[in-house]
Amino acid sequence: MNNLVVLPLLIPLLTAVILIFLSKRVKIQRWISLISVFLNMLSVVLLINQVQDKGIQTLYMGGWMPPYGIVFVADMFALLLVMTTLVVAAGCLLYAFRTIGEQREKYYFYPFVQFILAGVIGSFITGDLFNLFVCFEVMLISSYALIVLGGTKRQLRETIKYVLINIISSSLFVAAMAYLYGVVGTLNMAHLSVRVAEAGQGGILSVIAVMLLIVFALKAGLFLFFWLPGSYSVPPTAITALFGALLTKVGLYAIIRTFTLIFYHDQSFTHSIIAWMAIATMILGGLGAVAYKDVYRILNYNVVISVGFIAFGLAVATKESLDGTVLYLMHDMVAKALMFILGGMIIAAAGTNRLNEMGGLIKRYPWMGWMFFILTLALVGIPPLSGFPGKVLMVRGGLNEGEFLLTAFAVASSLIVLYSLVRLFMGAFWREDHLLPVRDQKKWHSTAYVSVIGLFILVIALGVGSEWIYSYAGQAGEVLANPSIYIDAVLKE
């Protein structure tokens, strides 16, 4: 057992509690939040080094051995996503310092961000299905508060829809767990894998697998994404960037973990469903990205496309495609945070979110324009930027496995991403602005520039340094491709 495993979850929880009592001290809240994130990064670095040297680390809460107690499991896949989560959180916090508004900051913005981090990180490191549900709810309840923070009519309308959808999915999650426990008598993920293998995946277990897939697909925006474009359009930029980078990825993580560890015995059934959902998601997301001229909608539908693309890597389910999925998940979290922050800056500079009312921004903000253009290339997967290593592994895995149709849709989705974002770039930055109203030069606080530049450098570094990062991602992919590694680590004592 390793007590350090639970530290990445405890730090944001304790920080959130402390910040509740400092609600009117805005400056102190800002820096406590940021320092907490950086301290958490140090704890994750220590865990990553331990996992690389000694293998998967576990913590059995209260000393109760599985399957009777709650277990936290730090494998390389979970830790890489936790580290990426913290990097994204640091960038969003820095951007929020002078853009979110003191009124929102005084109404518990920073505690709710820390609670979201606790829910996201807890979801990544838990080894128990019911505890995954608890962490989901911590994350979701905090996200409800952040979506509605500010109280505009649009926020209230979208919050109602967002809450109702998640209540339904959470109820279905509880029902699925009840059926699963009734059939196999455990909710420990490693023990579930053993019991499902003994019982044989079929009949009622296949039904439960589909129920869990629907639950996680609703939370990830995989095919069932009808709630996402509206809900992610109403909060301030810093909140939208945090949501776009993290929340859908937790749902995707749950799908990947469930269908590589528990329900991997009948891939012709489960993974075929995931494959068709991935195709539908990429097609529908692509249609939305090219149909709208609202910047928020364009960016939100690009999130949907990436969800479908990541599901494509899982559907192929080879070691190579799973390695690529890990790399691409890390890239997508960072790139989507930067995409939404730059999108918010574009809207603020233009004074509108309508693409046909923008133009000429390249003259006043050349740095913003070229940064957005390079980010577009990264999202498409142009080397040597961050999207390339993961994407090429996933595509190569699909071709080697003979999944030509699925791979073709995945490649086509990259072309749609290119078209939609280049159209946004051309409309906002290159279109002549002589018919548009003249606006003052928009300036941001230095922390916003630090946020954007830091995330931008990381997008480049994840591509240029991909060989070094792959040494970690390959270890993560090995655990996903060989579930016995995870099972032995959790049930060994």
Side-chain angles (χ1 to χ4, degrees), residues 180 196 201 205 208-209 212 258-259 261-265 270-271:
L180 188 58
V196 170
Q201 186 179 323
L205 285 174
I208 294 169
L212 288 172
T258 301
F259 290 94
L261 178 62
I262 302 171
F263 297 108
Y264 65 93
H265 307 282
T270 55
H271 287 56

Side-chain angles (χ1 to χ4, degrees), residues 68-98:
Y68 303 107
I70 293 173
V71 60
F72 288 98
V73 184
D75 69 336
M76 192 60 76
F77 180 42
L79 290 177
L80 289 176
L81 295 187
V82 171
M83 177 57 78
T84 312
T85 296
L86 294 170
V87 170
V88 166
C92 293
L93 282 172
L94 282 167
Y95 185 77
F97 280 180
R98 295 301 179 93

Side-chain angles (χ1 to χ4, degrees), residues 229-473:
S231 298
Y232 283 17
S233 296
V234 292
T237 298
I239 296 174
T240 304
L242 194 69
F243 285 7
L246 300 184
L247 298 195
T248 56
K249 306 309 180 294
V250 177
L252 282 168
Y253 169 83
I255 293 172
I256 293 169
R257 185 66 84 186
T258 301
F259 290 94
T260 59
L261 178 62
I262 302 171
F263 297 108
Y264 65 93
H265 307 282
D266 188 8
Q267 294 189 0
S268 61
F269 174 67
T270 55
H271 287 56
S272 294
I273 296 174
I274 295 171
W276 285 109
M277 291 176 76
I279 290 173
T281 304
M282 288 185 281
I283 292 172
L284 296 174
L287 291 173
V290 301
Y292 284 96
K293 293 187 178 180
D294 180 303
V295 172
Y296 288 123
R297 295 277 176 166
I298 295 171
L299 301 183
N300 289 338
Y301 277 104
N302 271 276
V303 171
V304 172
I305 295 172
S306 67
V307 168
F309 190 86
I310 293 166
F312 146 68
L314 171 62
V316 174
T318 64
K319 170 65 169 62
E320 190 172 39
S321 73
L322 291 171
D323 288 350
T325 301
V326 176
L327 283 171
Y328 195 82
L329 259 173
M330 295 172 64
H331 143 79
D332 199 62
M333 291 166 76
V334 175
K336 287 299 187 293
L338 180 58
M339 181 185 76
F340 278 108
I341 290 174
L342 286 175
M345 285 182 156
I346 290 169
I347 291 167
T352 178
N353 63 327
R354 301 295 302 169
L355 190 58
N356 55 4
E357 297 173 6
M358 296 181 180
L361 293 181
I362 199 70
K363 298 175 184 177
R364 290 177 286 162
Y365 310 95
W367 60 271
M368 187 196 300
W370 293 118
M371 201 176 281
F372 186 84
F373 181 73
I374 293 171
L375 174 65
T376 297
L377 299 182
L379 289 166
V380 173
I382 303 298
L385 301 171
S386 60
F388 175 72
K391 188 162 285 192
V392 75
L393 285 172
M394 294 164 75
V395 169
R396 195 165 67 185
L399 293 174
N400 290 340
E401 194 67 10
E403 298 284 355
F404 300 117
L405 178 64
L406 182 58
T407 306
F409 276 105
V411 173
S413 74
S414 297
L415 299 178
I416 295 173
V417 169
L418 178 65
Y419 172 77
S420 65
L421 294 181
V422 167
R423 184 182 65 144
L424 195 161
F425 171 76
M426 296 293 290
F429 290 95
W430 285 107
R431 180 189 291 132
E432 290 294 331
D433 62 344
H434 60 274
L435 296 178
L436 300 171
V438 177
R439 296 184 177 92
D440 295 332
Q441 187 86 359
K442 176 74 175 177
K443 295 186 182 298
W444 289 271
H445 192 265
S446 58
T447 54
Y449 291 111
V450 171
S451 167
V452 171
I453 293 169
L455 291 172
F456 181 73
I457 290 172
L458 197 57
V459 165
I460 297 172
L462 284 172
V464 174
S466 60
E467 186 174 355
W468 174 72
I469 296 167
Y470 182 73
S471 64
Y472 296 94

